[in-house]
Amino acid sequence: FGSGMRLTSRAGLCWIAQVSSLCGSRGAELAGQETLRRVRVTDGSPLLSSVEREYLLSVPSGYNGTVLPLLLYFHGWCDDWRCADCKWGAVGNAEGFISVKLRGKEDGDKGCPSWNVGHGGRSDVCRPKDTEPVQYTSCRRTNQTGPCNCYTCYDDVAFVAAVYDDIRHDLCVDEGRVFATGASNGAMFLYPLVAELAERGLGPRFKAIAPWYGAFFQHMERVLPSAARVSVFHSHGSLDTTIPPAGGESSDGYLYVPVQHTLDHFAKRHGCIAGQAWGRTQPKSDLPVQFAPTTQREAAEVGQDLHFAPQWPTVRTPWDGNGSLLECRAAPGCKEGRIVRCFYHADHGFWPSYAEEMTWWWFKSLGSSEIVV
């Protein structure tokens, strides 16, 4: 990639439109609507019984058995899992992909659905004196309580696999174009989910993920060789103290791996050019850059913008200069796939009006033969 590269795609890019008689037994009756569906999941722990889980499925209008891409969306902690304001269904209808919104477990903490990121019972992912743990019932039953607990302990990897199998029973899914995105806790879940699906031999295998302000807890980062097949499009606000992009302790006492550390690992798995130095850059804004990375939390608390970016080439998008978006940068020289990070002048929980369109624009670019670099 060269500096100032631009990713574009052919107007009206069509995904595989192959009609198959081997799948999609209920496609016609599901087309053009959002449907609540349930699957029964046998948990990986013998201490938890099988449970019924829910998800919302949106199928484009006019679906007739064609093979379509699939996008899975994972909500944040305590968020409305139905995501009534999200536009995944509308964008999917316009662009021709199936979208799914999955419901996390809220066992023992009604109103706060969450995703299991594997840290139940650990004490090394937070500063206990600074946290207020939440002990979900599933964690109590499996003896995984601890001072850093805040999410469910149900087997969410098995849930994702069960949903995927359920969808493929009724619809024709392009297994080579399955994507996932999520926000906050949902974004945190995406990173270990990639590894767990591969290790356990479960589907789906994602072509790309798009985490919005998520990161690994410290001491839990795992980027396996299988990640070489997964592109990453990461978005984060520079003022975020809930999941600080520079890593370290959050405002509520949890400890995170720097986002760039994880993306560098993905870049190496993809064969991208290594050894790219970090540097402090002045964003296109009148906000002064005054602090070192170790004081990012302090900078955010006083409303300053701290913008440290990898020395990767910038990527131009249709939304440059729109709202809080500062810039996007991509790892250069990747042999397969792409690793991109977008910087926003924003706190935790932001969701641009164009988030769904931008996320799909990125995913769709991976299938385009007309990418201008």
Side-chain angles (χ1 to χ4, degrees):
F1 291 126
S3 180
M5 64 183 174
R6 183 176 182 179
L7 306 183
T8 61
S9 60
R10 181 187 295 115
L13 176 70
C14 293
W15 296 99
I16 296 174
Q18 174 184 353
V19 178
S20 172
S21 60
L22 301 178
C23 61
S25 60
R26 293 186 55 206
E29 63 186 82
L30 296 171
Q33 59 184 310
E34 182 175 75
T35 307
L36 176 65
R37 292 165 66 98
R38 297 179 175 88
V39 293
R40 181 154 291 277
V41 182
T42 299
D43 200 86
S45 170
L47 298 175
L48 296 174
S49 60
S50 65
V51 292
E52 190 173 74
R53 305 285 299 265
E54 295 181 330
Y55 69 95
L56 286 169
L57 173 70
S58 292
V59 181
S61 300
Y63 176 81
N64 62 354
T66 56
V67 179
L68 296 179
L70 172 66
L71 180 147
L72 306 182
Y73 172 75
F74 298 89
H75 60 76
W77 184 58
C78 297
D79 284 352
D80 171 19
W81 75 276
R82 293 175 178 269
C83 201
D85 296 330
C86 291
K87 297 182 291 182
W88 296 118
V91 174
N93 193 56
E95 295 283 347
F97 66 86
I98 303 161
S99 65
V100 175
K101 294 181 287 190
L102 299 90
R103 182 179 188 176
K105 286 295 289 180
E106 53 194 83
D107 53 294
D109 196 7
K110 189 174 183 179
C112 278
S114 67
W115 301 104
N116 181 1
V117 298
H119 79 299
R122 297 183 65 136
S123 60
D124 59 350
V125 299
C126 75
R127 298 194 190 283
K129 64 181 181 62
D130 297 332
T131 60
E132 295 183 9
V134 177
Q135 308 294 350
Y136 280 69
T137 301
S138 54
C139 300
R140 296 182 188 277
R141 290 178 178 172
T142 55
N143 301 312
Q144 295 182 82
T145 58
C148 300
N149 278 33
C150 53
Y151 304 133
T152 185
C153 287
Y154 272 102
D155 188 347
D156 286 323
V157 177
F159 174 41
V160 172
V163 167
Y164 183 56
D165 288 342
D166 191 52
I167 293 171
R168 289 193 302 158
H169 181 268
D170 291 339
L171 299 169
C172 296
V173 175
D174 183 348
E175 298 182 11
R177 292 190 175 95
V178 181
F179 308 97
T181 184
S184 194
N185 174 222
M188 291 177 65
F189 178 54
L190 291 180
Y191 284 119
L193 177 61
V194 168
E196 286 285 323
L197 288 171
E199 280 191 330
R200 294 166 62 172
L202 300 173
R205 299 300 172 87
F206 298 120
K207 185 176 183 65
I209 60 173
W212 287 80
Y213 38 89
F216 278 109
F217 281 131
Q218 283 189 15
H219 310 297
M220 296 191 67
E221 184 183 50
R222 286 197 310 149
V223 181
L224 303 181
S226 56
R229 295 187 293 270
V230 184
S231 293
V232 182
F233 181 68
H234 187 106
S235 297
H236 221 117
S238 57
L239 304 180
D240 194 337
T241 61
T242 302
I243 301 180
E249 185 175 0
S250 66
S251 56
D252 54 358
Y254 287 89
L255 304 174
Y256 292 92
V257 173
V259 167
Q260 194 59 39
H261 191 272
T262 298
L263 296 183
D264 285 343
H265 275 299
F266 270 91
K268 290 177 182 177
R269 294 297 189 193
H270 279 258
C272 309
I273 296 175
Q276 296 296 304
W278 270 71
R280 182 166 60 181
T281 66
Q282 178 67 51
K284 294 180 179 179
S285 119
D286 57 359
L287 296 165
V289 179
Q290 299 176 347
F291 301 96
T294 54
T295 60
Q296 179 164 16
R297 177 176 170 184
E298 177 185 352
E301 287 174 347
V302 297
Q304 299 293 338
D305 189 294
L306 181 64
H307 190 52
F308 278 77
Q311 298 305 296
W312 290 352
T314 57
V315 179
R316 292 193 296 273
T317 80
W319 299 273
D320 288 351
N322 193 324
S324 59
L325 177 61
L326 297 172
E327 65 175 359
C328 297
R329 290 176 177 250
C334 299
K335 296 178 181 178
E336 182 178 356
R338 302 187 192 95
I339 309 299
V340 177
R341 179 177 177 184
C342 288
F343 298 80
Y344 289 79
H345 176 62
D347 204 339
H348 194 77
F350 73 99
W351 191 253
S353 60
Y354 51 82
E356 294 89 349
E357 289 88 349
M358 186 177 186
T359 300
W360 185 250
W361 175 82
W362 157 248
F363 287 156
K364 187 169 66 172
S365 76
L366 295 172
S368 172
S369 61
E370 294 185 356
I371 297 175
V372 179
V373 177

